[in-house]
Coordinates of all heavy atoms in Angstrom, one line a residue:
L96 N 3.4 2.4 16.5 CA 3.8 2.3 18.0 C 4.6 3.5 18.4 O 4.4 4.0 19.6 CB 4.6 1.0 18.2 CG 3.7 -0.3 18.1 CD1 4.6 -1.5 18.2 CD2 2.6 -0.3 19.1
G97 N 5.4 4.1 17.6 CA 6.2 5.3 17.9 C 5.3 6.5 18.1 O 5.5 7.3 19.0
V98 N 4.3 6.6 17.3 CA 3.3 7.7 17.4 C 2.5 7.5 18.7 O 2.3 8.5 19.4 CB 2.4 7.8 16.2 CG1 1.2 8.7 16.4 CG2 3.2 8.2 14.9
I99 N 2.2 6.3 19.0 CA 1.4 6.1 20.3 C 2.3 6.5 21.5 O 1.8 7.1 22.4 CB 1.0 4.6 20.4 CG1 -0.1 4.3 19.3 CG2 0.5 4.3 21.8 CD1 -0.4 2.9 19.2
A100 N 3.6 6.1 21.4 CA 4.5 6.5 22.5 C 4.6 8.0 22.6 O 4.6 8.5 23.8 CB 5.9 5.8 22.3
A101 N 4.8 8.7 21.5 CA 4.8 10.2 21.6 C 3.6 10.8 22.1 O 3.6 11.7 22.9 CB 5.1 10.7 20.2
Y102 N 2.4 10.2 21.8 CA 1.1 10.7 22.3 C 1.1 10.5 23.8 O 0.6 11.3 24.5 CB 0.0 10.0 21.6 CG -1.4 10.3 22.1 CD1 -1.9 11.6 21.8 CD2 -2.0 9.5 23.0 CE1 -3.2 11.9 22.3 CE2 -3.3 9.9 23.5 CZ -3.8 11.1 23.1 OH -5.1 11.4 23.7
E103 N 1.5 9.3 24.3 CA 1.5 9.0 25.7 C 2.4 10.0 26.5 O 2.1 10.3 27.6 CB 2.0 7.6 26.0 CG 1.0 6.5 25.6 CD 1.5 5.1 25.9 OE1 2.7 5.0 26.1 OE2 0.7 4.2 25.9
R104 N 3.4 10.5 25.9 CA 4.3 11.4 26.6 C 3.8 12.8 26.5 O 4.4 13.7 27.0 CB 5.7 11.3 26.0 CG 6.4 10.0 26.3 CD 7.7 9.9 25.8 NE 8.3 8.6 26.1 CZ 9.5 8.2 25.8 NH1 10.3 9.0 25.1 NH2 9.9 7.0 26.2
G105 N 2.7 13.0 25.8 CA 2.1 14.4 25.7 C 2.8 15.3 24.7 O 2.7 16.5 24.8
Y106 N 3.5 14.7 23.7 CA 4.2 15.6 22.7 C 3.3 16.2 21.7 O 3.7 17.1 21.0 CB 5.2 14.7 22.0 CG 6.4 14.3 22.8 CD1 7.1 13.2 22.5 CD2 6.8 14.9 24.0 CE1 8.2 12.7 23.2 CE2 7.8 14.5 24.8 CZ 8.5 13.4 24.4 OH 9.6 13.0 25.1
F107 N 2.0 15.8 21.6 CA 1.1 16.4 20.7 C 0.2 17.4 21.3 O -0.8 17.9 20.6 CB 0.3 15.3 20.0 CG 1.1 14.4 19.2 CD1 1.2 13.0 19.5 CD2 1.9 14.8 18.1 CE1 1.9 12.2 18.7 CE2 2.6 14.0 17.3 CZ 2.7 12.6 17.7
S108 N 0.4 17.9 22.5 CA -0.5 18.8 23.1 C -0.1 20.2 22.6 O 1.0 20.5 22.2 CB -0.3 18.8 24.7 OG 1.0 19.3 25.0
D109 N -1.1 21.1 22.6 CA -1.0 22.5 22.1 C -0.6 23.5 23.2 O -0.7 24.7 23.0 CB -2.2 22.9 21.4 CG -2.5 22.2 20.1 OD1 -1.5 21.8 19.5 OD2 -3.6 22.1 19.7
S110 N -0.2 23.0 24.4 CA 0.1 23.8 25.5 C 1.4 24.6 25.4 O 1.6 25.6 26.0 CB 0.1 23.0 26.8 OG 1.2 22.1 26.8
E111 N 2.3 24.2 24.5 CA 3.6 24.9 24.4 C 3.7 25.4 22.9 O 3.1 25.0 22.0 CB 4.7 23.9 24.7 CG 4.7 23.4 26.1 CD 5.8 22.3 26.3 OE1 6.7 22.3 25.4 OE2 5.8 21.6 27.3
D112 N 4.7 26.3 22.8 CA 5.0 26.8 21.4 C 5.8 25.7 20.7 O 6.6 25.0 21.3 CB 5.9 28.1 21.5 CG 5.1 29.3 22.1 OD1 3.8 29.3 21.9 OD2 5.7 30.1 22.6
A113 N 5.5 25.6 19.4 CA 6.3 24.6 18.6 C 7.7 25.1 18.5 O 7.9 26.3 18.3 CB 5.6 24.4 17.3
S114 N 8.6 24.2 18.5 CA 10.0 24.6 18.4 C 10.7 23.5 17.6 O 10.2 22.4 17.4 CB 10.7 24.8 19.7 OG 10.8 23.6 20.4
C115 N 11.9 23.8 17.2 CA 12.8 22.8 16.5 C 13.0 21.6 17.4 O 13.0 20.5 16.9 CB 14.1 23.5 16.1 SG 15.4 22.4 15.5
A116 N 13.3 21.9 18.6 CA 13.6 20.8 19.6 C 12.4 19.9 19.8 O 12.5 18.7 19.8 CB 14.1 21.4 20.9
E117 N 11.3 20.5 19.9 CA 10.0 19.7 20.2 C 9.7 18.9 18.9 O 9.4 17.7 19.1 CB 8.9 20.6 20.5 CG 7.7 19.9 21.0 CD 6.6 20.7 21.5 OE1 6.8 21.9 21.9 OE2 5.4 20.3 21.5
A118 N 9.8 19.4 17.8 CA 9.5 18.7 16.5 C 10.5 17.6 16.4 O 10.2 16.4 16.0 CB 9.6 19.6 15.3
G119 N 11.8 17.8 16.6 CA 12.8 16.8 16.5 C 12.6 15.7 17.5 O 12.8 14.5 17.2
T120 N 12.2 16.0 18.8 CA 11.9 15.0 19.8 C 10.8 14.1 19.3 O 10.8 12.9 19.5 CB 11.7 15.7 21.1 OG1 12.8 16.4 21.5 CG2 11.3 14.6 22.2
V121 N 9.7 14.7 18.8 CA 8.6 13.9 18.3 C 9.0 13.0 17.2 O 8.6 11.8 17.2 CB 7.4 14.8 17.8 CG1 6.3 14.0 17.1 CG2 6.8 15.6 19.0
I122 N 9.8 13.4 16.3 CA 10.3 12.6 15.2 C 11.1 11.5 15.7 O 10.9 10.3 15.3 CB 11.0 13.5 14.1 CG1 10.0 14.4 13.4 CG2 11.7 12.6 13.1 CD1 10.6 15.5 12.6
V123 N 12.1 11.7 16.5 CA 13.0 10.6 17.0 C 12.2 9.6 17.9 O 12.5 8.4 17.9 CB 14.3 11.1 17.6 CG1 15.1 11.8 16.6 CG2 14.1 11.9 18.8
T124 N 11.3 10.1 18.6 CA 10.4 9.2 19.4 C 9.6 8.3 18.6 O 9.5 7.1 18.8 CB 9.5 10.0 20.4 OG1 10.3 10.8 21.3 CG2 8.6 9.1 21.2
T125 N 9.1 8.9 17.5 CA 8.3 8.1 16.5 C 9.2 7.0 15.9 O 8.8 5.9 15.7 CB 7.6 9.0 15.5 OG1 6.8 9.9 16.2 CG2 6.8 8.2 14.5
V126 N 10.4 7.4 15.4 CA 11.3 6.5 14.8 C 11.8 5.4 15.8 O 12.0 4.3 15.4 CB 12.5 7.2 14.1 CG1 13.5 6.3 13.6 CG2 12.0 8.1 13.0
A127 N 11.9 5.8 17.0 CA 12.4 4.8 18.0 C 11.3 3.7 18.2 O 11.6 2.6 18.7 CB 12.7 5.5 19.3
G128 N 10.1 4.0 18.0 CA 9.0 3.0 18.0 C 8.9 2.3 19.4 O 8.9 3.0 20.4
P129 N 8.8 1.0 19.4 CA 8.6 0.3 20.6 C 9.8 0.3 21.6 O 9.6 0.0 22.7 CB 8.4 -1.2 20.1 CG 8.3 -1.2 18.7 CD 8.7 0.2 18.2
L130 N 10.9 0.8 21.1 CA 12.0 1.0 22.0 C 11.7 2.0 23.2 O 12.3 1.9 24.2 CB 13.3 1.4 21.3 CG 13.8 0.4 20.2 CD1 15.0 1.1 19.5 CD2 14.2 -0.9 20.9
N131 N 10.7 2.8 22.9 CA 10.3 3.8 24.0 C 9.9 3.1 25.2 O 10.1 3.6 26.3 CB 9.2 4.7 23.4 CG 9.7 5.7 22.4 OD1 10.4 6.6 22.7 ND2 9.3 5.4 21.1
W132 N 9.2 2.0 25.1 CA 8.7 1.3 26.3 C 9.8 0.4 26.9 O 9.6 -0.2 28.0 CB 7.5 0.4 25.9 CG 6.3 1.2 25.6 CD1 5.6 2.0 26.5 CD2 5.7 1.4 24.4 NE1 4.6 2.6 25.9 CE2 4.6 2.3 24.5 CE3 6.0 0.9 23.1 CZ2 3.8 2.7 23.5 CZ3 5.1 1.3 22.1 CH2 4.1 2.1 22.3
M133 N 11.0 0.4 26.3 CA 12.1 -0.4 26.9 C 13.2 0.6 27.5 O 14.3 0.2 27.8 CB 12.8 -1.2 25.8 CG 11.8 -2.3 25.3 SD 12.3 -3.3 23.9 CE 14.0 -3.5 24.0
G134 N 12.8 1.8 27.7 CA 13.6 2.8 28.4 C 14.3 3.8 27.5 O 15.0 4.7 28.0
V135 N 14.2 3.7 26.2 CA 14.8 4.7 25.3 C 13.9 6.0 25.5 O 12.7 6.0 25.4 CB 14.8 4.2 23.9 CG1 15.3 5.3 23.0 CG2 15.6 3.0 23.8
N136 N 14.6 7.1 25.7 CA 13.9 8.4 25.8 C 14.6 9.4 25.0 O 15.4 10.3 25.5 CB 13.8 8.8 27.3 CG 12.9 10.0 27.5 OD1 12.2 10.4 26.6 ND2 13.0 10.7 28.6
P137 N 14.5 9.4 23.7 CA 15.2 10.3 22.8 C 14.8 11.8 23.0 O 13.6 12.0 23.1 CB 14.9 9.8 21.4 CG 13.7 9.1 21.5 CD 13.6 8.6 22.9
K138 N 15.7 12.7 23.1 CA 15.5 14.1 23.1 C 16.4 14.8 22.1 O 17.5 14.4 21.9 CB 15.8 14.7 24.5 CG 14.9 14.1 25.6 CD 13.6 14.7 25.7 CE 12.8 14.2 26.9 NZ 11.5 14.7 26.9
V139 N 15.9 15.9 21.5 CA 16.6 16.7 20.6 C 16.7 18.1 21.1 O 15.7 18.6 21.6 CB 16.0 16.6 19.2 CG1 16.7 17.5 18.2 CG2 15.9 15.2 18.7
T140 N 17.9 18.7 21.0 CA 18.0 20.1 21.3 C 18.5 20.8 20.0 O 19.2 20.3 19.2 CB 19.1 20.4 22.4 OG1 20.3 19.8 21.9 CG2 18.7 19.7 23.7
C141 N 17.9 22.0 19.8 CA 18.3 22.8 18.6 C 18.8 24.2 19.1 O 18.1 24.8 19.9 CB 17.1 23.0 17.7 SG 16.5 21.5 17.0
D142 N 19.8 24.6 18.5 CA 20.3 26.0 18.7 C 20.1 26.7 17.4 O 20.9 26.5 16.5 CB 21.8 26.0 19.1 CG 22.0 25.3 20.5 OD1 21.1 25.5 21.4 OD2 23.0 24.6 20.7
V143 N 19.1 27.6 17.4 CA 18.8 28.4 16.2 C 19.7 29.6 16.3 O 19.7 30.4 17.3 CB 17.3 28.7 16.1 CG1 17.1 29.6 14.9 CG2 16.5 27.5 16.2

Side-chain angles (χ1 to χ4, degrees):
L96 291 173
V98 169
I99 292 169
Y102 177 77
E103 285 181 345
R104 292 182 180 180
Y106 293 156
F107 296 118
S108 66
D109 289 335
S110 63
E111 299 177 14
D112 293 333
S114 68
C115 169
E117 188 172 341
T120 299
V121 170
I122 291 168
V123 296
T124 299
T125 300
V126 171
L130 296 176
N131 289 289
W132 290 292
M133 295 171 35
V135 175
N136 189 13
K138 297 281 184 185
V139 174
T140 58
C141 294
D142 295 320
V143 180

